[in-house]
Amino acid sequence: MAEAAANLPGHIAITMDGNGRWAAARGVPRAAGHKAGLKPVRMCIEECTHLGVGALTLFAFSSENWGRPPEEVGSLMSLFLEALDSEVAELHEKGVRLRFVGARGSLPVRLQARIAAAEERTAGNRGLALQVAVSYGGRWDIVQAAQALARECASGALRPEEITEAAFAARLSLAQLPDPDLHIRTGGEHRISNFLLWQLAYAELYFTERLWPEFTAADLAAALRFFASRERRFGQRPAAASA
Ligand code: FPP
């Protein structure tokens, strides 16, 4: 169990990287690495629920991941289907509200249907808000918000001068949530890789060498300690100096 942090993030976003390297190190197929990645997913949901973190957003499949070999893409789509079948009842019991964000029209139709059913089933829950980003890209998100605004302007429902930061944010995928306070990336790379480009503007960024399948509650606790030690200024002067 993670130690409770004094200064807890309200919203955590995670880039779950390193499944492939974890699998290669064991001489097993990459699909086995992705499957092993479900364990830390469950752990993070458990810990966030236990600690009272309001929202958790997981980057499970990027817009760019469609460029991977078809057998790996297929194994990931099957894993999402299996995970929906095996996990949703328990998530519902825990009061988790599950949502998928991304270009869902490009997903297999069967998966789209299961996602819609899971979202509908858990929509009324008031516990952890869990977002799974699949076929998601930060640039895609910004473009789809721009298209929505353009449509509204073209129809006369909105005037261009009404396009404020708030109006823009309201058309993004995570519109109803506060921006992530903490972004965690496993697997050693120090990049955002087209995740929540708009929403991570002021997030604290935490990188760890740990490969995702090996990410434990102690690792999450270390990330939370890092977060608790940060002084967040949001572009302002430090609290002590601003008086
Ligand atoms: C990146 O590791 C990871 C992915 C592309 C898939 C992540 C998916 C899961 C952990 C399954 C979670 C499922 C649900 C339902 C949330 P990589 O393959 O890029 O690893 P590498 O950098 O070592 O090659």
Side-chain angles (χ1 to χ4, degrees), residues 16-21 30 34 37-38 41 58-60 65 68 72 76 79-80 83 132 212:
M16 309 180 288
D17 196 16
N19 296 348
R21 279 165 283 163
R30 291 179 66 86
H34 296 314
L38 275 181
V41 167
L58 302 173
F59 203 7
N65 286 155
R68 293 195 176 193
E72 184 174 355
L76 278 162
L79 182 62
F80 299 143
V132 180
W212 178 249

Side-chain angles (χ1 to χ4, degrees), residues 170-234:
R171 273 87 178 165
L172 290 166
S173 294
L174 303 184
Q176 62 293 81
L177 293 170
D179 285 344
D181 304 292
L182 171 65
H183 170 259
I184 299 171
R185 181 172 183 150
T186 61
E189 305 292 357
H190 293 205
R191 290 194 283 268
I192 298 299
S193 296
N194 199 18
F195 196 17
L196 303 160
L197 295 180
W198 174 289
Q199 299 90 337
L200 292 179
Y202 286 103
E204 297 295 330
L205 305 177
Y206 181 80
F207 300 99
T208 168
E209 294 294 316
R210 191 79 75 210
L211 302 177
W212 178 249
E214 294 176 334
F215 189 73
T216 64
D219 295 320
L220 179 61
L224 293 176
R225 278 197 300 277
F226 160 83
F227 178 80
S229 74
R230 305 299 301 160
E231 185 197 1
R232 303 184 79 204
R233 295 192 206 138
F234 300 96

Side-chain angles (χ1 to χ4, degrees), residues 63-223:
S63 311
E64 293 73 29
N65 286 155
W66 288 113
R68 293 195 176 193
E71 58 276 16
E72 184 174 355
V73 171
S75 73
L76 278 162
M77 296 301 140
S78 302
L79 182 62
F80 299 143
L81 265 178
E82 284 167 29
L84 281 167
D85 285 347
S86 64
E87 309 294 324
V88 170
E90 200 182 325
L91 292 177
H92 187 44
E93 253 173 51
K94 285 193 170 99
V96 172
R97 189 190 51 156
L98 176 64
R99 291 195 319 129
F100 278 65
V101 293
R104 67 175 67 188
S106 46
L107 299 175
V109 174
R110 236 155 50 99
L111 181 55
Q112 289 183 42
R114 297 275 237 297
I115 287 172
E119 288 180 336
E120 199 181 317
R121 184 170 177 190
T122 63
N125 290 341
R126 291 291 168 262
L128 177 69
L130 174 63
Q131 291 63 237
V132 180
V134 172
S135 192
Y136 178 86
R139 290 179 176 179
W140 165 84
D141 204 356
I142 289 168
V143 167
Q144 67 79 29
Q147 288 177 346
L149 288 165
R151 277 193 298 270
E152 290 170 55
C153 286
S155 75
L158 194 72
R159 284 177 288 119
E161 48 286 9
E162 289 175 317
I163 302 178
T164 58
E165 287 192 17
F168 207 103
R171 273 87 178 165
L172 290 166
S173 294
L174 303 184
Q176 62 293 81
L177 293 170
D179 285 344
D181 304 292
L182 171 65
H183 170 259
I184 299 171
R185 181 172 183 150
T186 61
E189 305 292 357
H190 293 205
R191 290 194 283 268
I192 298 299
S193 296
N194 199 18
F195 196 17
L196 303 160
L197 295 180
W198 174 289
Q199 299 90 337
L200 292 179
Y202 286 103
E204 297 295 330
L205 305 177
Y206 181 80
F207 300 99
T208 168
E209 294 294 316
R210 191 79 75 210
L211 302 177
W212 178 249
E214 294 176 334
F215 189 73
T216 64
D219 295 320
L220 179 61

